[in-house]
Amino acid sequence: MQEYSKSKLNRVKRGQNRANYDVAQINAILDSGFIGFVSYVYKGNAISLPMAYGRKDDKIYLHSSQANRMLLSLLEAGEMSMTVMLLDALVLARSGLHHSVNYRSATLFGTVKVLENDKEKEEALECFMDHMIPGRWNEIRPMHQHELDRTLVVEMTIKTASAKIRDVGVNDEPEDESLPVWAGLVPLKQVALSPISDEKLNKDIQVPNHVIEYYNMHK
Amino acid sequence: MQEYSKSKLNRVKRGQNRANYDVAQINAILDSGFIGFVSYVYKGNAISLPMAYGRKDDKIYLHSSQANRMLLSLLEAGEMSMTVMLLDALVLARSGLHHSVNYRSATLFGTVKVLENDKEKEEALECFMDHMIPGRWNEIRPMHQHELDRTLVVEMTIKTASAKIRDVGVNDEPEDESLPVWAGLVPLKQVALSPISDEKLNKDIQVPNHVIEYYNMHK
């Protein structure tokens, strides 16, 4: 098992029994998610904003317009962190204290750089779209050069990371287990609904296989 | 319409057409969500972590154990920001550039203080649980004093905020609309699955109404 090294930055302090540093588990969380919360410091304040991302090996790809305040700020700092969380269930206990949620989360720390080379930018954007919905990149209209030029593509290299996972049942105090209070889980899941074709679409164009496969995997 | 004042902190720079500062809309996003990403500065690094929250008027309630590094750091700073995002659809365009997601997000900025008074702490925890699953607070075992004592309850007062919402269809370049490429939306939704009773539960205890109502509203 390959693990990230632990430092003050990524060591999980609370709930250590739920923490791990396993690269494969962290990658599995990243690949199940799609939106990460990227945080940055703006005039002394920490702000976090959601961004879609792609992953390849230890690289995370983000993109935006060339004038994105957050990405420009991260590039100036040269470092960033990102957190991804997948919510799996409400955990409803007999006491308030033991209410919880089941979830999988990963927090990444690493360095960032801007990609300048067109080929690298396109490969990063392909990785990004493949992460959003596999198989789509080769079916859409190729990018125009002026579109590539106005797109800021940022590559994060993951230097260290941690995961927290809670995936067990209710954990009440033993003396509470006989109370006449219902306890249990309400599983939560993000699902896809039926694709809705653009109203301007030529009626001869069918929903393509990659969209049907996405829907079938997430419905 | 009541609006938050705009400052450099909360003014949305990119995608201003999707931004608003309407208190009612921001509250609606907060009330539809349940997990917020709270960000803080740790040794010069911005880190954001997911936390469940409750809202009442302009107050956000968070809680943790008394030793939570993030909340203690926020209390020392006296300020915090939190972002909530609800993902509504993949927006699949004919060109890569116009791929997007439909979403509702709110970013809050405000002051924080710890609640010390037991009555205030309990009311905040009731608000928190009511936000998680309405109707449960009065059905569970009352808190023990030692449980209340070891719980850190933090109250954020929202000072300013912004929302970003994208809720429209595909927005391709006009010259791309006749391309033989499928375009459209894949709606996404977080749903609840059937409640699962704790295996230690007395078999006479039925799933209560508040859990059935939650399930029916989210299935």
Side-chain angles (χ1 to χ4, degrees), chain A residues 30-191:
Chain A
L30 295 174
D31 293 349
S32 298
F34 161 57
I35 301 290
F37 281 75
V38 177
S39 35
Y40 73 117
V41 182
Y42 177 73
K43 295 186 191 291
N45 299 283
I47 304 179
S48 70
L49 293 177
M51 295 206 81
Y53 63 87
R55 181 189 76 84
K56 187 178 179 191
D57 303 327
D58 63 343
K59 309 295 185 198
I60 296 288
Y61 296 106
L62 306 173
H63 76 287
S64 70
S65 76
Q66 290 284 5
N68 184 288
R69 177 171 91 177
M70 178 166 73
L71 288 189
L72 293 177
S73 160
L74 292 173
L75 286 168
E76 199 180 311
E79 294 182 340
M80 66 170 262
S81 87
M82 184 175 89
T83 298
V84 175
M85 184 204 200
L86 309 166
L87 190 58
D88 293 325
L90 302 183
V91 179
L92 304 175
R94 296 160 181 87
S95 67
L97 192 79
H98 288 293
H99 275 67
S100 187
V101 291
N102 277 350
Y103 64 95
R104 291 160 286 156
S105 75
T107 298
L108 317 177
F109 301 91
T111 53
V112 277
K113 67 171 191 182
V114 65
L115 297 184
E116 310 269 13
N117 175 285
D118 283 353
K119 185 163 171 289
E120 284 181 348
K121 285 174 79 170
E122 279 221 70
E123 284 172 358
L125 292 169
E126 180 174 355
C127 166
F128 174 89
M129 186 167 294
D130 198 56
H131 188 86
M132 181 183 188
I133 175 165
R136 188 158 182 81
W137 180 259
N138 288 324
E139 301 213 4
I140 58 173
R141 187 259 287 155
M143 280 190 97
H144 296 317
Q145 183 65 42
H146 69 89
E147 292 175 331
L148 196 57
D149 291 345
R150 64 189 251 213
T151 303
L152 179 67
V153 181
V154 169
E155 179 185 87
M156 175 192 192
T157 301
I158 305 170
K159 295 295 186 184
T160 191
S162 61
K164 276 186 91 174
I165 298 173
R166 189 193 192 284
D167 60 358
V168 293
V170 176
N171 188 21
D172 267 312
E173 301 296 328
E175 65 268 27
D176 288 339
E177 285 170 4
S178 57
L179 290 174
V181 176
W182 185 86
L185 303 183
V186 181
L188 301 174
K189 190 181 172 191
Q190 185 182 278
V191 298

Side-chain angles (χ1 to χ4, degrees), chain A residues 50, chain B residues 18 85-89 100-105 164-167:
Chain B
R18 296 179 191 164
M85 185 204 201
L86 309 166
L87 190 56
D88 294 324
S100 187
V101 290
N102 278 350
Y103 63 97
R104 291 160 286 155
S105 75
K164 277 186 90 174
I165 298 173
R166 189 193 193 282
D167 60 359

Side-chain angles (χ1 to χ4, degrees), chain A residues 94-98 172-177 179, chain B residues 66 118-119 121-122 125 137 140-153:
Chain A
R94 296 160 181 87
S95 67
L97 192 79
H98 288 293
D172 267 312
E173 301 296 328
E175 65 268 27
D176 288 339
E177 285 170 4
L179 290 174
Chain B
Q66 291 284 5
D118 282 354
K119 186 164 170 291
K121 286 175 77 170
E122 279 221 69
L125 292 169
W137 182 260
I140 58 174
R141 187 259 288 155
M143 280 191 95
H144 297 318
Q145 183 65 43
H146 68 88
E147 292 175 330
L148 197 57
D149 292 344
R150 64 188 249 212
T151 303
L152 179 67
V153 181

Side-chain angles (χ1 to χ4, degrees), chain A residues 8 14 39 46 48 65 69 79 81 83 93-94 99 136 141 176 182-183 185 187 189 191 193 196-198, chain B residues 8 14 39 46 48 65 69 81 83 93-94 99 136 141 176 182-185 187 189 191 193 196-198:
Chain A
K8 281 199 172 176
R14 308 305 305 170
S39 35
S48 70
S65 76
R69 177 171 91 177
E79 294 182 340
S81 87
T83 298
R94 296 160 181 87
H99 275 67
R136 188 158 182 81
R141 187 259 287 155
D176 288 339
W182 185 86
L185 303 183
K189 190 181 172 191
V191 298
L193 309 182
I196 301 168
S197 295
D198 179 22
Chain B
K8 280 200 172 175
R14 308 306 305 169
S39 35
S48 71
S65 76
R69 178 171 90 176
S81 87
T83 298
R94 296 160 181 88
H99 275 68
R136 188 158 181 81
R141 187 259 288 155
D176 288 339
W182 185 86
L185 302 183
K189 190 182 171 190
V191 298
L193 309 182
I196 301 167
S197 296
D198 179 23

Side-chain angles (χ1 to χ4, degrees), chain B:
Chain B
M1 185 177 85
Q2 195 190 347
E3 279 207 336
Y4 288 109
S5 62
K6 291 177 267 295
S7 71
K8 280 200 172 175
L9 198 60
N10 72 320
R11 189 190 297 275
V12 174
K13 309 267 279 189
R14 308 306 305 169
Q16 292 182 21
N17 56 329
R18 296 179 191 164
N20 78 66
Y21 305 89
D22 176 12
V23 173
Q25 279 210 44
I26 289 167
N27 285 344
I29 293 168
L30 295 173
D31 293 350
S32 298
F34 162 57
I35 301 290
F37 281 76
V38 177
S39 35
Y40 73 117
V41 182
Y42 177 73
K43 294 184 190 293
N45 300 281
I47 304 179
S48 71
L49 294 177
M51 295 206 81
Y53 63 88
R55 181 189 76 86
K56 187 178 180 192
D57 303 327
D58 63 342
K59 309 297 186 198
I60 295 288
Y61 296 108
L62 306 172
H63 76 285
S64 71
S65 76
Q66 291 284 5
N68 184 288
R69 178 171 90 176
M70 179 167 70
L71 288 188
L72 293 176
S73 160
L74 293 173
L75 287 167
E76 199 180 310
E79 295 180 339
M80 66 169 262
S81 87
M82 184 175 89
T83 298
V84 175
M85 185 204 201
L86 309 166
L87 190 56
D88 294 324
L90 302 183
V91 178
L92 304 175
R94 296 160 181 88
S95 67
L97 192 77
H98 288 292
H99 275 68
S100 187
V101 290
N102 278 350
Y103 63 97
R104 291 160 286 155
S105 75
T107 298
L108 317 177
F109 300 92
T111 54
V112 277
K113 68 171 190 182
V114 66
L115 296 184
E116 310 269 14
N117 175 287
D118 282 354
K119 186 164 170 291
E120 285 182 347
K121 286 175 77 170
E122 279 221 69
E123 285 171 0
L125 292 169
E126 180 175 356
C127 167
F128 174 88
M129 188 168 292
D130 199 56
H131 187 87
M132 182 182 186
I133 176 165
R136 188 158 181 81
W137 182 260
N138 289 323
E139 301 212 5
I140 58 174
R141 187 259 288 155
M143 280 191 95
H144 297 318
Q145 183 65 43
H146 68 88
E147 292 175 330
L148 197 57
D149 292 344
R150 64 188 249 212
T151 303
L152 179 67
V153 181
V154 168
E155 179 185 85
M156 175 191 194
T157 300
I158 304 171
K159 295 295 186 184
T160 192
S162 60
K164 277 186 90 174
I165 298 173
R166 189 193 193 282
D167 60 359
V168 293
V170 175
N171 189 21
D172 266 312
E173 301 296 326
E175 66 267 26
D176 288 339
E177 285 169 4
S178 57
L179 289 174
V181 176
W182 185 86
L185 302 183
V186 180
L188 300 173
K189 190 182 171 190
Q190 185 181 278
V191 298
L193 309 182
S194 295
I196 301 167
S197 296
D198 179 23
E199 55 192 24
K200 292 175 182 161
L201 197 72
N202 182 324
K203 301 299 170 217
D204 299 338
I205 301 177
Q206 302 294 315
V207 180
N209 280 339
H210 69 273
V211 175
I212 293 171
E213 280 164 21
Y214 179 92
Y215 170 66
N216 284 335
M217 274 191 62
H218 294 86
K219 71 183 174 185

